[in-house]
């Protein structure tokens, strides 16, 4: 389960913004469940599709591992039972 929080902090000069989200786990009964607060850094400028790496084989633009996005868990909160919604 995931819920984006409404705050957004732009980082001038870096071309990115910082967001926060709440994540909830749903594990087996033998594992601890958590609510987690994550910091997410996303690039602000979207490249034009023409500038992205385009593959004619897959008919897709983009790929894996070329994004400057970053997710960091900043807080874990123990939660009894499964998390059905954040």
């Amino acid at each position: 389960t995931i819920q984006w929080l409404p705050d957004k902090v732009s980082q001038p000069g870096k071309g990115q913004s910082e967001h926060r989200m709440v994540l909830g786990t749903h594990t087996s009964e033998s594992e601890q469940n958590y609510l987690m607060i994550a910091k997410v850094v996303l690039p602000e400028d979207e490249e034009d599709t023409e500038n992205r790496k385009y593959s004619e084989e897959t008919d897709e633009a983009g790929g894996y591992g070329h994004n400057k996005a970053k997710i960091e868990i900043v807080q874990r909160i123990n939660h009894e039972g499964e998390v059905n919604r954040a």
Side-chain angles (χ1 to χ4, degrees):
T1 298
I2 178 175
Q3 177 68 47
W4 288 95
L5 296 174
D7 53 331
K8 173 185 173 183
V9 178
S10 292
Q11 298 176 346
K14 292 187 176 183
Q16 58 190 22
S17 59
E18 186 177 299
H19 306 258
R20 292 186 313 142
M21 66 169 67
V22 178
L23 297 105
T25 62
H26 182 111
T27 64
S28 64
E29 293 179 16
S30 61
E31 297 293 326
Q32 175 67 50
N33 282 293
Y34 296 97
L35 281 173
M36 298 179 286
I37 308 295
K39 177 174 71 171
V40 182
V41 178
L42 298 172
E44 286 189 335
D45 296 328
E46 285 291 322
E47 297 179 25
D48 294 331
T49 303
E50 299 166 336
N51 293 335
R52 295 182 187 170
K53 187 175 181 181
Y54 177 74
S55 170
E56 290 188 19
E57 280 183 30
T58 61
D59 196 31
E60 295 178 344
Y64 299 99
H66 299 287
N67 198 332
K68 295 179 181 178
K70 178 182 175 187
I71 301 173
E72 176 185 356
I73 303 298
V74 294
Q75 185 177 7
R76 286 180 194 250
I77 304 164
N78 287 342
H79 187 276
E80 294 299 321
E82 59 192 44
V83 180
N84 294 316
R85 59 184 138 171

